[in-house]
Amino acid sequence: RYMSTVPFAGSPFEVSSVTYGHHVKPKYFSDTVTQYEMVARVSDHCDLMKSISAPALGGLISSREFFDVVCNYRCKKTGTYMTYGTAVPEEAYTLAPTPKERIRGRDLQAIFFFRPVPGDEKQTLTEYSFQSDPGGGLPKWVLRRAMPITMKNYAVNMRKILSAFPNLEALVRDAPQAAG
């Protein structure tokens, strides 16, 4: 399990909304994600998401495919938003076989807390944690090397997408043109 805490400009609602699954995400996360799409709406606050990771560590880690149930929640009392993702149940994988050129990875747990910074409603403290099984029998030293890089890249990529789309209104307005 790897954890990180990073501040971002914008309210918790804006930061969580803009960085959630959207078709422009691969453009801003291209060093870590080549495809990110909603496969199905599971409920009012949960989606079935498919993501394909980019190769990492100079090709030592090949592309992985992940299917996750990703849910979003809001705590009205504290103004905190939370996104939680975990791999789909094992039997669901029979409905979506992994192409031969990819390895099936499993996100055991991915959790994001978007908390308001006390005294500054336009700032968000984002705490995130990943626990994944990338599959494919990678040596532990490779994982120990790759995960801190992935965590750092995630924060850098969040800053890129928030710079391009500082709020949900900008994402909705400008994202169709930015997808290319």
Side-chain angles (χ1 to χ4, degrees), residues 35-153:
Q35 184 179 342
Y36 195 77
E37 66 181 86
M38 183 174 73
V39 176
R41 169 102 22 213
V42 177
S43 70
D44 287 344
H45 62 275
C46 294
D47 300 315
L48 173 61
M49 304 297 289
K50 174 184 177 181
S51 62
I52 298 175
S53 67
L57 289 181
L60 280 175
I61 301 174
S62 62
S63 182
R64 290 338 198 226
E65 182 175 76
F66 296 86
F67 281 93
D68 298 317
V69 176
V70 180
C71 300
N72 294 289
Y73 303 95
R74 177 181 70 142
C75 177
K76 290 180 184 178
K77 184 177 179 180
T78 66
T80 298
Y81 286 77
M82 181 185 88
T83 299
Y84 176 80
T86 190
V88 298
E90 194 64 36
E91 58 270 13
Y93 290 115
T94 61
L95 302 174
T98 302
K100 290 180 184 175
E101 68 272 10
R102 266 188 236 111
I103 295 171
R104 171 68 42 87
R106 289 177 175 77
D107 284 324
L108 306 174
Q109 177 176 288
I111 190 164
F112 297 79
F113 288 101
F114 303 94
R115 302 179 196 277
V117 171
D120 191 349
E121 64 200 37
K122 296 185 187 236
Q123 294 290 315
T124 297
L125 193 60
T126 303
E127 300 170 60
Y128 56 101
S129 169
F130 294 119
Q131 186 178 9
S132 293
D133 173 4
L138 290 170
K140 294 230 183 266
W141 73 265
V142 171
L143 295 175
R144 282 193 300 271
R145 175 79 171 107
M147 282 310 290
I149 295 169
T150 298
M151 297 295 281
K152 179 181 170 261
N153 287 348

